[in-house]
């Protein structure tokens, strides 16, 4: 039975939860497909995650391999294919707890970077799992800065082979998933040398383990890099290469080729490489970031209406902790951000699809904007959601600290997203570079991409709001965000100019402005996110209460951003101190409004209990019972050898015999 | 196998420092003699083969618990053998043995024994203390329940007095009343001090403490009527058996209620305790420990991140030149140096609270409780302020180490998961901030009704003066000197005064609209927390600044002054809105502050490694491959990884079990 505290919350929803779920899924049909996939996966015991919190690294790894193998069978049974509509829901249903994810990156690399001949050779083998692939780019000494990679591939004309080496310890490949124990092949990135000349980083297919007995190939040293903060199921690996020879045909050669005589030929645009990174950055937002963030919100908000603590009114029952303003102030802005970023993701997807169509027509004009936005938003969203999951964790008090709450695992996993696929600070600086360039162009009257045209229209003026209700007008707050973004970009650009004019070298000037540049990039992304949310709300259907509640969330998202960063808005007097008090008042009012729909708003994310895997966040709210029963299954509740060995002598006061 | 010489980058960094790190270490320890003694005790543990073991990162939870119990047993024996009895020296010994991690006897040593000493009658001490001292009795402190934590009055466990048998009957009447979380309760303890609602003669007399045996001496089996176990895996605290305890009509003799203060007589008559302020003392003490712990945990994370940033080279700053140390990037300095300054600030705050506690404690034993409420309010806020900041700071340090920070070999994940619960235990931080706010509101009311307040809140006295001279605040605008810590203390003071006043006014406004005081309080609580934070922030800046004057060595004072300025200015930069809105600083001044922060980063840069060396963490205690003193990071990462459990066999068994069959089928 459902906990009455939770049931009561659902009766008063101001909107249709089912309609909102459909909106999030992109249509009721999508919802149906997704639920069917989730149902099929969750009803299969092999995919159960009930024991995962009790398992060791070795056990987690084995379970992930078992699931990956079983998944092949399952897909076949269900008639799901890699290109079918079900595919994208499988990963979500498994909560990512499965091996061979890098195998897919291996396949994508071949299909994007390989020649037709290479695709024809390798893809069937990979698809049928005759081999298991990985993707070896990062080294012990280098990550985001790819030009610094130290692995070498020297072309030997005599044998028509490349000789691969990791010449020093920092050149060792380090971190690639699936490589520590599972992979038989990998795409290794190395500096290409022909006749003593370096041609930069190129991808090579390298076999690392025997297809017969899985032993390491000659010249290869590989293993697991040891325990991490999370991803216990993944065998992130290291790889040392010592004079490993691969045939000339193993260099992926859609864009660059080495001819038998050692002639190096470049074909097509290099810019396409950016496009691959863009693809990955956009695709990770939904599965790796928004899903865990929404799960954390679901757990924390449901728990906060079940947990009662202290009294708000004398003589009454203890209050639900979600009724405390401080608790609302922690959780509800997270909820608003989850929706905001969902729509940001839609915006990026649409932009991406448009860019992709253009690229197929050999038009690369959209690439810089797409690259800048995907970098900036990857950084902004991962950073915000990571912090948000931690807020959810701590908002659940002591019980949030138990693995059984599900929150520690969500946190340790999402936090990796701030680093992989480009370290966030570096990505924001890439966005900033684009902004500064566009700002200069716009100032000189040159055309700039649509997302930055606002930089040209520098308006001096003041925020026109007269009372707190004015701050519920999207025009008012969107313009405030725009003002801040323009101010930070233009003042940083001016500072850069000043430094350069005063004789500071360009790169030094850049380094001296990087703190400001990062702030400008964040302000730009924040502005786009607010503007996009406001525009999305306007287009929503007015029926079923959806538009109204989304408008509240949009307002909250915008005002929370101002409230948490008042200095940026007050700095040049665009917003006055009195107006800032209005922002605060409206913001706090909104918390109380959204409070009423908080549970329906997380219900709309439509996670199953198995998907959440949390004692605190289950749909029925039977928190304490579940926690108690689950804890008893902990292996620590079997009699431990520690008693006989250490406790007993201790208690019997025979310490000296130890 | 690891290279033995010190990494060249770190050697260069150390040679370039402008001060002697040992002198700063002495300040942190409280004098050269304390440093010497600390190192002596450290050596006792480090040179003792009994305390060696495999890297804990490679052990399962059960194995880690077992190691911890093994070491704890030896620790107790050796402490006595060496005659170490000073509380601080015990603390050092313990933290070297357990390398800064919790251990299953923590609650026995830190709560069970002290509670016996302070709350048991002489008769009770005779019965329990020596057996507990000799570890025949191992106890824990069972307060928190599944349904209630910081809000103690809500606890549901009952102890009903039965005069016919002169016993208390203990019950956990609901699922939510099950004791949950106490350390050492799951597997280790055979006794617990249980907090329960006392019922006698049909009346509830509130929370009282009872000594409850939970496991059979000899067999260690749970006693009839007792259900006890481990609460399962957590984020961290792997070596701790946090436990649950459910009691069903479990009877204990009347004499097992701790009766030094409150008493139940044989016929059931209840005798009230004299003062309830006494319990403040323990809370102040424990929260002051958390402030010190915030400083230490953040210092460890800073040590790792800063040393690693001096060793790691990446990308290019100048075209054509070798890759620079990542510590040369402004963004990296901006992440790490304010945290380094914060770690120092918190060290001094921790030392201040500890000293104040000991001073006031003398007064308490003389019956003077007058300073206790302020200290209680201050430590509540500072506990929250420092633990929140350190918690976020540790994570920033980890992220500043890029991907390798995420590996457990960096040691930072472990520091984080061990530290983060301190935001919750010993008083949930938001609740702590609101307690401080309550004191601030009370002080504000006193000031507005014409009384003077003293201590850290005395700046509120100025508020009434400002009303007479309305231009006062505006006049201050031009006088803030951003190079002068004392002037910045004034700026923080104004900010705190403004936020306290604004929260008080909002509270007043709510009170006129609502009929319930609690409701008005709740609707102002976001403002109240902000006011408390500003107050604590002011206290930290003030204490850091005050410390500078005590430093004798000029070179050390210079470098600490840089850190103090950075701490204060960075805080202004981050909270610029507060200073702008209150008219304490103008937009142009904020721009100057931002600029000066960046200049300070460059000033501190040459001393960064020496400043973390001064924390003087031994490599074993630091537990980090990235933060090693010798900086030989990459070689040792490889050595470490080879020991990973997944690498035990060349071909993992999953290959034979799953991979091979699949490949055969497809």
């Amino acid at each position: 039975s459902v906990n009455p505290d939770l049931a009561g919350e659902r009766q008063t929803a101001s909107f249709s939860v089912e309609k909102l779920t459909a909106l999030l899924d992109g249509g009721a049909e999508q919802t149906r497909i997704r639920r069917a996939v989730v149902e099929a996966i969750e009803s299969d015991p092999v995919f159960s995650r009930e024991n995962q919190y009790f398992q060791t690294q070795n056990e987690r790894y084995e379970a992930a391999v078992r699931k990956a193998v079983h998944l092949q069978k399952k897909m076949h049974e269900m008639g799901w294919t890699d290109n079918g509509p079900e595919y994208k829901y499988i990963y979500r249903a498994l909560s990512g707890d499965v091996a061979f994810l890098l195998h897919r990156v291996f396949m994508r690399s071949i299909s994007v970077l390989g020649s037709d001949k290479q695709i024809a050779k390798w893809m069937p083998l990979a698809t049928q799992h005759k081999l298991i692939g990985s993707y070896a780019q990062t080294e012990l000494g280098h990550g985001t800065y790819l030009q610094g990679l130290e692995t070498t591939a020297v072309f030997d004309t005599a044998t028509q082979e490349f000789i691969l080496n990791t010449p020093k310890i920092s050149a060792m490949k380090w971190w690639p998933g699936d490589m520590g124990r599972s992979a038989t092949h990998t795409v290794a990135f190395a500096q290409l040398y022909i006749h003593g000349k370096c041609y930069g980083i190129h991808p090579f297919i390298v076999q690392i383990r025997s297809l017969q007995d899985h032993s390491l190939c000659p010249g290869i040293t590989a293993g697991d890099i040891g325990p991490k903060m999370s991803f216990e199921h993944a065998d992130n690996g290291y790889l040392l290469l010592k004079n490993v020879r691969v045939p000339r045909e193993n260099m992926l050669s859609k864009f660059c080729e080495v001819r038998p005589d050692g002639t190096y030929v470049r074909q097509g645009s290099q810019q396409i490489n950016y496009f691959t990174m863009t693809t990955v950055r956009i695709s990770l937002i939904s599965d790796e970031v928004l899903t865990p963030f929404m799960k954390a919100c679901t757990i924390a908000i449901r728990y906060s209406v079940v947990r009662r603590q202290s009294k708000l009114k004398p003589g009454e029952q203890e209050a639900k902790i979600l009724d405390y303003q401080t608790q609302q102030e922690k959780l509800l802005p997270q909820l608003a951000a989850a929706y905001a970023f969902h729509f940001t993701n839609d915006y990026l997807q649409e932009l991406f699809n448009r860019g992709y169509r253009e690229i197929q027509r050999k038009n690369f004009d959209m690439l810089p904007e797409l690259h800048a936005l995907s970098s900036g938003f990857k950084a902004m969203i991962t950073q915000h959601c990571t912090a948000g999951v931690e807020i959810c964790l701590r908002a659940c008090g002591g019980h949030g600290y138990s693995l059984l709450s599900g929150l520690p695992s969500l946190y340790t996993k999402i936090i990796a997203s701030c680093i992989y696929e480009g370290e966030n600070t570096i990505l924001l600086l890439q966005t900033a570079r684009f902004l500064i360039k566009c700002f200069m162009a716009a100032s000189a009257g040159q055309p700039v991409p649509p997302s930055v045209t606002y930089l040209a229209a520098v308006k001096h003026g003041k925020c026109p709001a007269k009372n707190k209700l004015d701050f519920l007008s999207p025009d008012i707050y969107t313009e405030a965000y725009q003002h801040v973004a323009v101010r930070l970009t233009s003042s940083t650009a001016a500072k850069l100019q000043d430094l350069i004019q005063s004789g500071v070298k360009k790169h030094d000037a850049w380094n001296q402005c990087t703190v400001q540049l990062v702030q400008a990039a964040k302000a730009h992304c924040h502005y786009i996110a607010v503007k996009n949310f406001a525009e999305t709300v306007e287009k929503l259907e007015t029926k079923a209460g959806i538009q109204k509640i989304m408008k509240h969330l949009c307002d909250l998202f915008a005002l929370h951003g101002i409230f948490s960063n008042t200095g940026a808005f007050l700095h040049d007097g665009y917003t006055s101190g009195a107006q800032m008090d209005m922002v605060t008042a409206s913001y706090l009012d909104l918390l109380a409004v959204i409070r009423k729909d908080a549970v329906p708003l997380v219900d709309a994310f439509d996670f199953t209990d198995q998907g959440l895997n949390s004692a605190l966040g289950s749909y029925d709210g039977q928190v304490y019972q579940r926690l108690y029963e689950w804890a008893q299954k902990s292996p620590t509740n079997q009699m431990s050898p520690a008693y006989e060995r250490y406790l007993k002598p201790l208690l019997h006061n025979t310490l000296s015999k130890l | 196998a690891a290279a033995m010489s010190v990494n060249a980058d770190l050697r260069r960094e150390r040679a370039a420092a402008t001060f002697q790190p040992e002198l700063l270490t002495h300040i942190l320890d409280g004098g050269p003699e304390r440093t010497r003694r600390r190192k002596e005790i450290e050596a006792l543990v480090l040179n003792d083969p009994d305390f060696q073991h495999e890297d804990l990162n490679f052990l399962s939870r059960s194995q880690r618990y077992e190691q911890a119990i093994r070491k704890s047993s030896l620790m107790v024996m050796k402490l006595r053998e060496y005659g170490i009895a000073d509380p601080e020296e015990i603390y050092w010994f313990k933290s070297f043995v357990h390398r800064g991690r919790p251990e299953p006897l923590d609650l026995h040593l830190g709560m069970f024994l002290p509670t016996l000493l302070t709350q048991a009658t002489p008769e009770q001490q005779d019965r329990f203390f020596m057996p507990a001292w000799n570890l025949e009795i191992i106890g824990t402190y069972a307060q928190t329940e599944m349904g209630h934590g910081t809000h103690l009055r809500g606890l549901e466990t009952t102890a009903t007095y039965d005069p016919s048998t002169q016993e208390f009957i203990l019950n956990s009447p609901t699922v939510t009343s099950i004791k949950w979380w106490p350390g050492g309760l799951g597997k280790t303890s055979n006794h617990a001090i249980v907090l329960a609602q006392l019922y006698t003669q049909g009346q509830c007399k509130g929370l009282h403490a009872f000594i409850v045996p939970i496991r059979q001496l000899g067999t260690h089996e749970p006693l009839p009527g007792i259900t006890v176990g481990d609460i399962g895996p957590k984020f961290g605290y792997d070596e701790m058996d946090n436990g649950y305890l459910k009691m069903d009509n479990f009877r204990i003799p009347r004499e097992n209620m701790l009766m030094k203060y409150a008493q139940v007589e044989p016929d059931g008559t209840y005798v009230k305790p004299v003062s309830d302020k006494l319990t403040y003392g323990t809370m102040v003490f424990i929260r002051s420990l958390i402030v010190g712990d915030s400083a230490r945990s953040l210092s460890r994370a800073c040590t790792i991140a800063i040393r690693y940033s001096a060793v790691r080279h990446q990308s290019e700053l100048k075209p054509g030149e070798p890759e620079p140390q990542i510590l040369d990037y402004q963004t990296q300095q901006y992440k790490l140096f304010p945290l380094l300054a914060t770690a120092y600030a918190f060290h001094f705050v921790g030392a201040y609270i500890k000293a104040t506690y000991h001073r006031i404690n003398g007064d308490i034993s003389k019956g003077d409780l007058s300073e206790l409420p302020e200290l209680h309010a201050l430590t509540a806020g500072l506990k929250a302020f420092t633990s929140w900041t350190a918690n976020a700071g540790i994570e920033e340090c980890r992220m500043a180490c890029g991907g390798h920070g995420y590996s457990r070999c960096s040691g930072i994940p472990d520091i984080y998961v061990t530290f983060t619960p301190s935001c919750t235990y010993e008083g949930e931080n938001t609740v702590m901030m609101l307690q401080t706010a309550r004191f601030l509101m009370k002080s504000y009311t006193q000031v507005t009704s014409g009384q003077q307040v003293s201590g850290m809140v005395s700046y509120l006295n100025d508020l009434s003066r400002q009303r007479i001279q309305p231009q006062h605040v505006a006049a201050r605008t031009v006088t803030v000197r951003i190079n002068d810590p004392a002037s910045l203390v004034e700026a923080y003071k104004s900010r705190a005064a403004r936020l306290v006043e604004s929260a008080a006014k909002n509270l007043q406004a709510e009170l006129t609209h609502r009929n319930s005081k609690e409701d008005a309080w709740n609707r102002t609580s976001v403002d109240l927390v902000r006011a408390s934070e500003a107050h604590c922030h002011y206290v930290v800046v003030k204490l850091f600044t005050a410390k500078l004057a005590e430093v004798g060595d000029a070179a050390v004072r210079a470098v600490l002054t840089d850190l103090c300025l950075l701490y204060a200015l960075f805080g202004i930069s981050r909270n610029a809105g507060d200073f702008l809105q209150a008219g304490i600083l103008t937009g142009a001044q904020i721009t100057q502050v931002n600029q000066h922060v960046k200049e300070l980063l460059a000033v501190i840069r040459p001393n960064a490694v020496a400043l973390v060396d001064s924390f003087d963490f031994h490599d074993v205690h630091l537990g980090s491959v990235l933060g090693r003193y010798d900086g030989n990071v990459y070689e040792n990462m490889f050595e470490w990884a080879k020991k990973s459990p997944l690498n035990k066999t060349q071909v993992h068994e999953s290959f034979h079990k799953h991979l091979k069959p699949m490949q055969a089928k497809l």
Side-chain angles (χ1 to χ4, degrees), chain A residues 23-82:
Chain A
L23 173 71
L24 291 171
D25 280 324
E29 174 60 11
Q30 291 297 311
T31 303
R32 192 192 60 73
I33 298 172
R34 176 176 56 74
R35 285 180 180 159
V37 171
V38 169
E39 161 66 22
I41 298 269
E42 289 184 351
S43 61
D44 188 328
V46 174
F47 296 118
S48 165
R49 294 191 297 134
E50 199 199 342
N51 286 323
Q52 82 170 40
Y53 301 131
F54 302 138
Q55 289 172 331
T56 64
Q57 195 192 355
N58 258 322
E59 290 163 343
R60 288 287 300 276
Y61 167 67
E62 190 187 325
V65 172
R66 181 171 177 225
K67 285 182 197 179
V69 170
H70 189 68
L71 181 62
Q72 300 309 313
K73 206 175 122 200
K74 191 86 191 172
M75 286 180 67
H76 185 74
E77 263 172 44
M78 301 297 297
W80 300 336
T81 63
D82 287 11

Side-chain angles (χ1 to χ4, degrees), chain A residues 58 62 140 142 181 224 307 312 318 325 330 390 399 401 411-412 415 425 516 636-637 645, chain B residues 66 146 148 230 312 323 335 391 395 398 404 406 416-417 430 518 522 598 647 649 652 657:
Chain A
N58 258 322
E62 190 187 325
L140 198 42
H142 288 88
R181 306 269 74 187
D224 175 81
R307 178 88 169 172
L312 264 176
E318 289 186 87
Q325 191 187 49
K330 287 172 194 170
E390 209 217 359
H399 294 327
Y401 191 74
Y411 178 66
T412 51
I415 201 161
T425 303
Q516 273 168 281
T636 42
N637 284 324
R645 247 180 256 165
Chain B
E66 197 178 321
M146 217 192 272
H148 288 90
D230 174 84
R312 176 94 169 167
E323 295 182 86
K335 285 175 197 170
N391 185 67
E395 280 297 73
R398 188 180 57 68
H404 296 331
Y406 194 75
Y416 173 73
V417 298
T430 303
E518 288 78 2
N522 185 31
K598 290 190 277 178
N647 290 330
T649 54
H652 196 270
K657 261 171 143 169

Side-chain angles (χ1 to χ4, degrees), chain B residues 512-579:
Chain B
T512 56
H513 291 126
R514 318 273 160 206
N515 43 18
S516 136
K517 251 180 17 192
E518 288 78 2
D519 204 16
W521 179 263
N522 185 31
R523 282 168 183 273
T524 322
S525 51
V526 168
D527 291 329
L528 290 164
V529 169
R530 280 177 78 188
S532 289
E533 279 176 334
H535 174 70
C536 294
H537 209 157
Y538 153 68
V539 171
V540 175
V541 173
K542 182 186 154 84
L543 292 175
F544 197 166
T545 304
K547 187 75 196 174
L548 299 176
E550 296 171 24
V551 179
D553 183 85
V556 172
R557 191 169 57 242
V559 73
L560 282 180
T561 305
D562 293 336
L563 285 176
C564 179
L565 277 171
L566 179 64
Y567 180 76
L569 292 174
F570 182 78
I572 293 177
S573 177
R574 274 294 171 88
N575 298 283
D578 291 348
F579 292 89

Side-chain angles (χ1 to χ4, degrees), chain A residues 141-398:
Chain A
H142 288 88
T144 304
Y145 179 65
L146 296 183
Q147 292 105 295
L149 295 179
E150 298 172 290
T151 303
T152 57
V154 178
F155 186 59
D156 177 359
T157 8
T159 60
Q160 295 286 299
E161 289 170 321
F162 294 103
I163 310 163
L164 280 97
N165 273 294
T166 44
K168 51 206 266 208
I169 191 123
S170 55
M172 185 179 347
K173 295 293 175 190
W174 197 271
W175 280 112
D178 291 333
M179 197 173 75
R181 306 269 74 187
S182 303
T184 59
H185 287 67
T186 192
V187 171
F189 283 79
Q191 304 282 2
L192 168 65
Y193 284 87
I194 310 169
H195 302 314
K197 189 181 165 202
C198 181
Y199 288 84
I201 290 292
H202 288 75
F204 301 84
I205 298 179
V206 182
Q207 180 171 355
I208 58 173
R209 287 190 177 89
S210 152
L211 290 172
Q212 299 312 309
D213 61 5
H214 216 60
S215 63
L216 292 170
C217 295
I220 301 279
T221 308
D224 175 81
I225 64 162
K228 299 139 295 190
M229 210 167 173
S230 181
F231 288 88
E232 296 93 339
H233 64 281
D235 54 324
N236 297 80
Y238 60 78
L239 172 68
L240 276 162
L241 301 161
K242 199 170 173 196
N243 292 323
V244 174
R245 288 175 170 264
V246 301
R248 190 177 63 91
E249 295 76 26
N250 277 26
M251 181 175 112
L252 291 175
S253 56
K254 184 166 191 170
F255 301 106
C256 316
E257 196 188 350
V258 177
R259 299 256 166 87
D261 63 352
T263 316
Y264 179 80
V265 188
R266 191 181 286 283
Q267 45 210 0
S269 166
Q270 275 238 311
Q271 280 184 306
I272 196 75
N273 286 335
Y274 280 114
F275 191 68
T276 317
M277 285 191 275
T278 302
T279 313
V280 178
R281 281 172 197 156
I282 293 179
S283 68
L284 73 87
I285 290 174
S286 167
D287 281 345
E288 303 292 344
V289 185
L290 293 183
T291 302
F293 185 42
M294 288 169 171
K295 281 183 180 176
C297 289
T298 306
I299 294 167
I301 286 177
R302 285 185 184 159
Y303 175 63
S304 294
V305 300
V306 170
R307 178 88 169 172
R308 286 177 177 274
Q309 205 78 177
S310 195
K311 287 177 188 176
L312 264 176
K313 297 198 175 100
E316 280 190 6
Q317 193 185 4
E318 289 186 87
K320 295 175 176 178
I321 57 174
L322 196 59
D323 287 328
Y324 290 94
Q325 191 187 49
T326 45
Q327 187 77 353
Q328 294 167 9
E329 215 265 315
K330 287 172 194 170
L331 297 179
L332 302 183
Q334 309 314 321
L335 185 58
Y339 278 94
F341 294 144
H342 174 84
F343 296 123
T344 306
N345 186 46
D346 284 352
Y347 162 82
L348 286 173
Q349 284 295 344
E350 199 194 302
L351 202 71
F352 173 81
N353 292 338
R354 217 163 354 116
Y356 188 64
R357 284 194 300 273
E358 291 301 315
I359 285 164
Q360 284 177 320
R361 279 187 233 138
K362 301 279 175 208
N363 172 11
F364 298 104
D365 290 352
M366 273 185 75
L367 263 181
E369 184 187 30
L370 199 53
H371 177 65
L373 278 172
S374 64
S375 304
F377 273 116
K378 184 269 179 184
M380 179 200 185
I381 295 177
T382 54
Q383 211 160 335
H384 193 112
C385 295
T386 295
V389 172
E390 209 217 359
I391 290 171
C392 291
L393 190 154
R394 280 193 279 129
C396 291

Side-chain angles (χ1 to χ4, degrees), chain A residues 453-622:
Chain A
T453 46
Y454 75 96
L455 290 174
V458 186
K459 276 179 263 171
H460 299 281
K462 304 259 176 213
C463 172
K466 301 230 160 27
N467 57 54
K468 69 173 181 176
L469 292 180
D470 286 345
F471 278 103
L472 301 180
S473 152
D475 288 344
I476 299 265
Y477 56 67
T478 308
E479 209 154 302
Y481 272 96
Q482 190 191 84
H483 179 85
V484 170
V486 173
R487 179 175 66 75
L488 288 172
T489 304
S490 63
S491 68
T492 312
K495 172 100 195 181
L496 263 174
Q497 287 292 86
D498 284 356
L499 284 169
I500 292 168
Q501 269 164 18
S502 72
V504 178
K505 293 237 170 63
K506 230 171 149 181
H507 49 262
D508 278 333
W510 180 263
N511 190 33
Q512 284 177 36
C513 290
T514 42
V515 167
Q516 273 168 281
L517 286 161
V518 166
Q519 281 160 356
K522 282 184 186 168
H524 169 68
C525 292
H526 213 146
Y527 160 60
I528 304 274
V530 168
K531 180 165 158 260
N532 177 64
F533 199 171
E535 286 170 0
T536 306
V537 168
E538 215 160 280
K539 283 180 258 164
L540 289 176
E541 57 167 330
T542 48
K543 281 178 294 180
I546 305 275
Q547 193 190 39
K548 196 167 160 221
I549 187 70
M550 288 299 117
K551 166 73 169 58
H552 289 319
L553 287 174
C554 178
D555 294 346
L556 185 71
F557 177 68
L559 296 189
H560 176 255
I562 300 177
F563 176 79
S564 333
N565 195 13
T566 54
F569 293 83
L570 289 163
H571 190 94
D572 60 349
Y574 179 83
T575 316
S576 70
Q579 284 173 327
M580 204 48 83
D581 286 338
M582 296 172 198
V583 168
T584 307
S586 266
Y587 166 63
L588 294 176
D589 288 349
L590 273 170
L591 293 179
V593 172
I594 292 165
R595 156 71 187 89
K596 297 183 198 129
D597 278 318
V599 169
L601 280 167
V602 296
D603 283 353
F605 295 144
D606 203 27
F607 291 111
T608 59
D609 284 352
Q610 277 167 276
L612 292 173
N613 210 22
S614 162
L616 306 188
S618 59
Y619 187 84
D620 67 8
Q622 299 297 347

Side-chain angles (χ1 to χ4, degrees), chain B residues 260-553:
Chain B
K260 183 162 176 187
Y261 300 110
Q263 284 158 21
V264 172
E265 291 176 351
D267 66 350
T269 308
Y270 178 72
V271 185
K272 257 176 34 178
V274 196
S275 167
D276 53 358
K277 274 188 192 158
L278 281 163
T279 49
Y280 278 8
T282 325
M283 283 194 274
V284 167
F285 178 69
I286 291 175
R287 286 172 194 165
S288 78
L289 290 182
I290 294 176
V291 175
D293 200 30
S294 301
R296 269 183 302 276
S297 300
L298 184 57
S299 305
R300 286 171 72 191
C302 283
T303 304
I304 296 165
I306 287 178
R307 285 187 185 155
Y308 176 63
S309 297
V311 171
R312 176 94 169 167
H313 288 251
Q314 204 78 179
S315 194
E316 60 180 23
L317 265 173
K318 295 187 181 135
E321 288 196 6
E323 295 182 86
Q325 293 163 288
I326 58 174
L327 199 56
D328 285 332
Y329 288 94
Q330 191 188 55
T331 44
Q332 188 78 351
Q333 296 168 4
Y334 190 70
K335 285 175 197 170
L336 296 177
F337 295 169
L339 294 172
L340 177 63
T342 305
Y344 274 95
F346 290 179
H347 268 292
F348 300 135
V349 174
Y352 167 84
I353 299 184
K354 203 160 82 178
T356 311
Y357 169 75
H358 286 304
R359 180 173 60 77
I360 294 184
N361 212 21
D363 301 337
I364 296 170
S365 50
K366 285 179 231 138
D368 175 8
L369 304 178
S370 57
E371 279 190 80
L372 207 47
E374 192 202 342
L375 186 65
H376 179 245
L378 184 65
T379 41
L382 285 173
K383 178 261 179 186
F385 184 81
T386 57
S387 62
W388 265 338
T389 309
N391 185 67
I394 294 165
E395 280 297 73
E396 279 183 65
C397 287
R398 188 180 57 68
M399 293 226 251
C401 296
H404 296 331
Y406 194 75
S407 166
R408 296 255 289 272
C409 80
S410 79
I412 309 185
D414 204 68
I415 297 173
Y416 173 73
V417 298
T418 305
F419 179 75
T420 193
S422 56
C423 294
T424 307
Y425 61 53
E426 302 304 335
E428 196 278 328
N429 278 356
T430 303
V431 180
M432 292 300 97
M433 281 297 186
L434 288 170
Q435 282 187 8
T436 302
R438 211 171 275 283
F439 181 76
L440 292 173
M441 291 302 109
K442 219 170 104 186
S443 305
Y444 179 83
T445 311
Q446 281 175 323
V447 167
T448 48
S449 63
Q451 298 169 47
Q452 290 275 308
V453 292
S454 61
M456 288 290 185
V457 287
S458 55
Y459 61 85
L460 293 175
N461 295 329
D462 297 347
L463 282 172
S464 51
R465 247 174 276 145
Q466 276 169 32
R467 250 180 297 282
I468 307 163
Q469 301 166 282
Q471 75 279 25
H472 188 88
V473 171
R476 190 169 269 160
T477 305
V478 287
T479 63
V480 175
R481 296 176 305 280
I482 61 169
N483 262 321
D484 176 8
S487 177
L488 298 175
V489 173
E490 292 301 310
Y492 272 91
K493 192 191 260 189
S494 304
R495 168 192 180 224
R498 191 254 163 194
L499 287 174
V500 169
E501 178 161 53
S502 142
K505 286 184 172 162
N506 290 346
L507 180 62
Q508 205 51 46
E510 286 291 345
L511 278 168
T512 56
H513 291 126
R514 318 273 160 206
N515 43 18
S516 136
K517 251 180 17 192
E518 288 78 2
D519 204 16
W521 179 263
N522 185 31
R523 282 168 183 273
T524 322
S525 51
V526 168
D527 291 329
L528 290 164
V529 169
R530 280 177 78 188
S532 289
E533 279 176 334
H535 174 70
C536 294
H537 209 157
Y538 153 68
V539 171
V540 175
V541 173
K542 182 186 154 84
L543 292 175
F544 197 166
T545 304
K547 187 75 196 174
L548 299 176
E550 296 171 24
V551 179
D553 183 85

